[in-house]
Amino acid sequence: MSLQIEGMTKRFGTNTVLRGVDLALAPGTITAFMGANGAGKSTLVKIVAGVHSASGGTMTLDGRPFAPVTPSAALRAGVVVVHQIINDNVVLTMDVLENLMIDRLCAGGSPIFRRRTHRDEAQAMLDRVGLDVPLSAELADLPLADRQMVAIARALAHDPKLLILDEPTSALSDSEAERLFAVLEGLRDQGVPILYISHRMGDIRRLADRIVTLRDGRVTGDFSAPLDYSGAVRAMLGAALDAAAHDRVPPGPPVLTARGLRVLPGAAPLDIDLNAAEVTAIVGLVGAGKTELAETLYGLRRPLAGKMTLNGAPYAPRHPGDAVAAGVFMAAEDRTGGSIVPDFDLARNVTLPFLGAFSQFGMMRRDREARRASEAIAALDIVAQGPDDPIASLSGGNQQKVVLARWLTRPARVLILDEPFQGVDIAARRDIGRALRATARDRATLVLCSDLDEAIELADRIVILSHGALRAEQEAGALDRTALVHAMSAAA
Ligand SMILES: Nc1ncnc2c1ncn2[C@@H]1O[C@H](COP(=O)(O)OP(=O)(O)OP(=O)(O)O)[C@@H](O)[C@H]1O
Ligand SMILES: [Mg+2]
């Protein structure tokens, strides 16, 4: 199958997002679609998927006019999409089996849903992507990475004639992503055109046959093999990227210490110091215990063993309220599930945990709130019309920046960022890294990453977590990437 897009435009009210995009997807090619946060990538994808209608332009599929008015119309034509917002692809209140079979149920077919009949089929869908979770697990109870894999498994089961993946690896680490890549290469070899959106250069180097760049709603580059990656980054940003290399900031005294801490059953006890002025990245595969560790530091769960101190005093938060009161803040990994409040506008999503600081005599001072939001928009280059924007109208990466801005609003002793770069573009990652290092002074900063390269871009010190235990530690400026990769996948 082949898809041809000509002169596609899209406006949301007065905001023109796509300004005449031409794009042709040929059989058997993986096209990487690159663009900064807010460039219009997901908007284009949603038009092809029948979620939004275009304001102008035409599409043809194998030469025939194609203008899906609903997602199911696109699906019937063989156009399968994995959307960027992971929770848009799955139903959190249903279990894995139900999520995998939901399309079958909606399509009519047999009116009777028999779990037994569908079990083998659902298991085969999981096996294809190498996901090992019980079919009876509720999606809401699964880590984000597993939800993302369920979404991918469900999409692949549609037997796509054209496949579009919008940031499919944002919550996955290398080895999990590799399973997906192998499946995608299989589909490419069968002639399926694939449009692949990612902010991870590693994915693009690994997969892409071609790169198309989008900037401010216009195509600015079309690269074929041999691919010029830095040329593509320049075309997507409109400027060269600054150097990633940074020197290690000398660490200050320890702010938070953990001794003999156990966060996973059966794991070896773990000792760690988080030091003032230092950005520490903890990297590990899914299931390594990163989120458990973060949640323990933030009072969302009790340690199975061990003790912590904060600025020298015993620290044992019973819930996040205790942690925030002590100056320990955390931006959680599941943006759409927990941290973003869709009913609130951009400004309120920034100030939410600190409303007290933005009110006077019990009244919200909207002017202060809006001022803080405008500062955040400027400091982090958030693409938005202004502080009053509904948060859901922001692109995925820009929503992520809002969550970061929130936790930089008040001084923290310890700032924990769980997967802060999901869907954040390469230039913004550098800006955020710089902002974190520049504001670090008395604060200890802990970043949990599944992507090693993102950790290297950002951190002064990298620690590998595997099976709930620390395996290796290295400092920026003297990194051995191969040794880190090895430590990540080492057996317990
Ligand atoms: N439903 C909507 N209503 C209003 N504006 C929207 C809506 N969806 C997207 N936009 C605007 O369209 C622009 C492009 O957003 P889009 O989600 O397409 O960006 P993107 O390239 O996918 O970015 P990212 O890399 O962050 O995912 C943004 O300025 C966004 O605010
Ligand atoms: Mg997007």
Side-chain angles (χ1 to χ4, degrees), residues 205-216:
R205 285 176 197 277
R206 166 74 178 74
L207 275 182
D209 304 308
R210 171 187 175 210
I211 300 176
V212 173
T213 58
L214 189 73
R215 182 155 60 89
D216 293 334

Side-chain angles (χ1 to χ4, degrees), residues 188 260 293 321 335 444:
R188 169 184 54 197
L293 175 62
R335 176 175 77 231

Side-chain angles (χ1 to χ4, degrees), residues 31 65 102 143 225 246 320 342 373 398 453 479:
T31 303
I102 189 171
H246 60 88
N398 284 299
D453 294 315
L479 283 170

Side-chain angles (χ1 to χ4, degrees), residues 48 74 280 312 319 433 453 477:
V48 179
T280 304
H319 49 79
D453 294 315

Side-chain angles (χ1 to χ4, degrees), residues 181-201:
F181 297 160
V183 176
L184 296 184
E185 283 171 332
L187 287 170
R188 169 184 54 197
D189 296 344
Q190 292 165 29
V192 176
I194 298 175
L195 186 68
Y196 190 91
I197 298 177
S198 181
H199 291 292
R200 292 187 170 182
M201 280 315 289

Side-chain angles (χ1 to χ4, degrees), residues 35-43 45-46 84-85 166-167 197 199 394-397 423:
N37 294 135
K41 304 177 299 295
S42 297
T43 302
V45 166
K46 286 180 187 163
Q84 178 176 17
I85 308 286
D166 195 349
E167 293 283 347
I197 298 177
H199 291 292
L394 266 61
S395 76

